Amino acid sequence: MLILGLILLILGFVLSIPILWTIGVVLLVVGAVLFLLGSTGRAVGGRRHWF
């Protein structure tokens, strides 16, 4: 999710498409929160590990 958010952020900036920029920022924030919760050992979405 972090990588997809970064790609959309870059594409939105280069192509001057504001909706891609907004979606990229949202995905980066959500991905960062999920990454932080997962790295602290908390269960995210009812699951501790994703296989």
Side-chain angles (χ1 to χ4, degrees):
M1 189 171 292
L2 287 171
I3 295 171
L4 180 63
L6 185 61
I7 290 171
L8 288 177
L9 194 67
I10 292 170
L11 284 176
F13 181 73
V14 170
L15 300 175
S16 299
I17 302 174
I19 191 70
L20 286 181
W21 176 265
T22 305
I23 293 171
V25 169
V26 169
L27 285 179
L28 274 176
V29 169
V30 170
V33 168
L34 289 176
F35 177 76
L36 289 174
L37 286 175
S39 67
T40 59
R42 289 188 48 99
V44 178
R47 299 180 66 151
R48 189 169 296 276
H49 299 286
W50 293 92
F51 295 104

